[in-house]
Amino acid sequence: MTDSDPDSEGTSPDENCREESLETTVQALGARLDALSKQVSGLREELHDERDEREELEDELAARDERIDELEAEVARLDARTDILEVVENADKMSGKQRAVTLVQHLHRAAKARERRDEPPAATVDRDEAEEALHYPNIDRTTIYRDMERAARLIDGDALQYTNGELRLDLDAGSLPRKYTADQEGENL
């Protein structure tokens, strides 16, 4: 009588090899699955990190865009201030026509600003406001009135009227020639 292994009863050596081969394959697949699972977890962490970095970069970009807007506004403010300073420096050298054109441009900017606020595109200046717009308070008041009259004569049509000591621009009543609508005072004079 031969000793027989109770577990091996009824199985042939080929079947034992197959079972061992299957067991090895299952173990290899399990190890491979664990490795792939770790790789997926690593990729998820990388993706999360990349998303965090992207969010930080977007926040930084938004902050930079805001800063650019602030700087552009500051440049525009400084440009306007420079224009005013140039007018002040040159006011004593300005001719009557140049002062008249400066008044027209001042009114045009004011009317356009009202238009952007969805208000009627019109603006008015009296002698004091005209003097302020010219940035030269030492001009005789009669000279200011003459400059206001001259400004009204420069423009053909109903857009610009001088009455009762006021110069009134109404862009709904007509338009101004391009040469009098320069964005910078003193331009096209």
Side-chain angles (χ1 to χ4, degrees):
M1 284 204 126
T2 53
D3 269 15
S4 63
D5 186 3
D7 290 332
S8 63
E9 282 182 27
T11 59
S12 68
D14 284 341
E15 284 181 23
N16 282 339
C17 281
R18 272 192 223 139
E19 284 180 17
E20 286 177 13
S21 174
L22 283 174
E23 194 173 312
T24 303
T25 303
V26 167
Q27 288 174 351
L29 287 174
R32 177 82 173 133
L33 184 59
D34 286 344
L36 288 173
S37 178
K38 287 178 184 177
Q39 190 176 10
V40 166
S41 292
L43 289 173
R44 282 188 180 141
E45 285 179 24
E46 280 183 44
L47 179 61
H48 180 71
D49 292 344
E50 291 294 326
R51 284 182 177 157
D52 287 346
E53 185 177 340
R54 177 181 168 198
E55 189 174 307
E56 288 174 14
L57 289 172
E58 286 173 348
D59 290 345
E60 185 179 321
L61 183 59
R64 284 186 180 181
D65 286 344
E66 186 176 317
R67 180 67 177 145
I68 287 170
D69 291 343
E70 290 171 2
L71 291 172
E72 286 174 345
E74 180 67 12
V75 166
R77 187 186 69 77
L78 290 173
D79 282 346
R81 187 173 179 185
T82 301
D83 293 342
I84 289 170
L85 290 174
E86 286 176 9
V87 169
V88 170
E89 288 175 1
N90 297 323
D92 59 342
K93 301 174 194 168
M94 290 175 75
S95 70
K97 182 177 180 182
Q98 289 170 321
R99 288 190 305 270
V101 170
T102 299
L103 289 173
V104 172
Q105 292 172 346
H106 172 77
L107 285 168
H108 184 258
R109 278 192 298 277
K112 285 297 190 178
R114 286 178 50 95
E115 185 176 48
R116 284 189 294 274
R117 294 188 306 262
D118 292 326
E119 297 175 14
T124 304
V125 294
D126 61 14
R127 185 194 61 81
D128 292 331
E129 293 165 332
E131 195 172 271
E132 187 179 317
L134 292 171
H135 308 287
Y136 193 64
N138 295 331
I139 297 175
D140 184 70
R141 70 182 238 161
T142 57
T143 302
I144 296 288
Y145 286 126
R146 279 193 304 249
D147 291 340
M148 292 168 68
E149 289 173 353
R150 184 179 290 114
R153 286 193 310 267
L154 285 174
I155 309 301
D156 291 331
D158 297 326
L160 189 63
Q161 300 292 318
Y162 175 72
T163 53
N164 299 327
E166 287 188 337
L167 189 60
R168 177 171 173 70
L169 174 66
D170 184 355
L171 293 178
D172 283 339
S175 62
L176 296 176
R178 176 78 179 124
K179 66 182 181 177
Y180 298 125
T181 62
D183 291 329
Q184 294 183 351
E185 294 174 4
E187 191 174 296
N188 293 327
L189 299 180

